Amino acid sequence: FDLVGPADIAPLEEEGFTIVNRDAFNVLYLGMNQKQKPLDDIRVRQAIAYAIDKEAVINASMPEGTPAATQFMPDLVQGWNGDVTEYDYDPEKAKELLAEAGAEGATIEFNYPSDVSRPYMPQPEDTFNVIRSQLEAVGLNVKPTSDRWDPDYLNKIQGTSDHGIHLLGWTGDYNDPDNFLGVFFGQESPEWGFDNPELFDALREARGLPTVEEQTPVYEDINAQVMEFLPGVPLAHPVPSLAFAPGVEGFQQSPVNDEVFNTVTISE
């Protein structure tokens, strides 16, 4: 079965199941809706980024081997930039920035989905709980808001401005930076609540470049722009896990779930 929860992997292996991990062609992020104050202040967004210990989030709610994210796409995609601004865990820096912004003790709505497991978000409630405790530790007040994934959560986050910070992500359809950056930031969107014509124009121009060689440095620069603007915090590239009963052999994983079964054999 697909999307094995991290806590279920060891018990399944003890029962003789084989665990197969897909390559992590995805990203989980904490989005920030800039229509909601004080998220329109870059210092508050930076403070939230510095408040998050990504390794603690990964250890609590994601499969072993999950790498932390530094930007909104995995390093398998051309245009990934190893020199973007990073916001290493620094709660004291977070407190300083909140004080500068006059946002000490501010109440932030934190939206997360229930009754769902996604390849990029295997245990959303556990992810929420860890991040919530980290934000409260730097002096923010967190207002939890949970909605059922289908249809309420996605409709609220992507179709309205009635949300604050939120957990969401994406599994790539194909290996192209526009399938990540363009999906997220290609135009004004209720999810993010900002208007950034410079970023929108850069993505539109990059999409039209005819060769990978021309596109790559442009997307590297766009990744750098995004992480300076900081519309959200890329958290991790969770490793999706599958489990197969004893006797099942020959399964070939695909990062984009494009899997065929004519290579699989089953024996007693």
Side-chain angles (χ1 to χ4, degrees), residues 38 44 47-52 89-109 130-143 165:
V44 174
I48 290 172
Y50 282 119
I52 296 174
Y89 177 53
D90 189 341
E92 293 307 314
K93 179 70 171 175
K95 292 176 184 177
E96 291 173 11
L97 286 163
L98 289 174
E100 286 179 20
E104 296 168 292
T107 297
I108 305 288
E109 183 178 24
V130 178
I131 296 175
R132 174 189 185 180
S133 67
Q134 293 172 353
L135 297 180
E136 290 176 339
V138 300
L140 289 169
N141 293 315
V142 175
K143 176 188 174 184
I165 61 174

Side-chain angles (χ1 to χ4, degrees), residues 118-178:
R118 306 293 291 169
Y120 53 78
M121 186 170 52
Q123 297 180 193
E125 186 171 0
D126 292 342
T127 302
F128 159 78
N129 282 323
V130 178
I131 296 175
R132 174 189 185 180
S133 67
Q134 293 172 353
L135 297 180
E136 290 176 339
V138 300
L140 289 169
N141 293 315
V142 175
K143 176 188 174 184
T145 304
S146 178
D147 291 289
R148 291 183 64 87
W149 175 259
D150 187 17
D152 300 328
Y153 188 75
L154 282 180
N155 286 346
K156 175 186 283 189
I157 300 303
Q158 296 182 330
T160 79
S161 296
D162 185 23
H163 56 89
I165 61 174
H166 55 276
L167 292 175
L168 204 54
W170 179 255
T171 297
D173 298 306
Y174 46 88
N175 194 340
D176 187 278
D178 188 65

Side-chain angles (χ1 to χ4, degrees), residues 33-37 109 111 155-164 188-194:
N33 176 17
Q34 293 181 40
K35 289 293 186 187
Q36 302 292 336
K37 293 184 177 298
E109 183 178 24
N111 300 83
N155 286 346
K156 175 186 283 189
I157 300 303
Q158 296 182 330
T160 79
S161 296
D162 185 23
H163 56 89
E188 195 169 357
S189 162
E191 177 179 357
W192 307 97
F194 69 80

Side-chain angles (χ1 to χ4, degrees), residues 43-122:
R43 295 169 296 182
V44 174
R45 302 199 301 275
Q46 290 170 341
I48 290 172
Y50 282 119
I52 296 174
D53 181 349
K54 295 179 184 178
E55 291 302 329
V57 175
I58 290 168
N59 291 337
S61 62
M62 297 175 206
E64 184 176 347
T66 293
T70 63
Q71 52 212 276
F72 283 86
M73 65 187 199
D75 61 6
L76 297 172
V77 183
Q78 56 102 359
W80 186 89
N81 187 343
D83 293 320
V84 299
T85 301
E86 296 189 37
Y87 302 84
D88 295 330
Y89 177 53
D90 189 341
E92 293 307 314
K93 179 70 171 175
K95 292 176 184 177
E96 291 173 11
L97 286 163
L98 289 174
E100 286 179 20
E104 296 168 292
T107 297
I108 305 288
E109 183 178 24
F110 192 162
N111 300 83
Y112 67 99
S114 62
D115 302 310
V116 70
S117 179
R118 306 293 291 169
Y120 53 78
M121 186 170 52

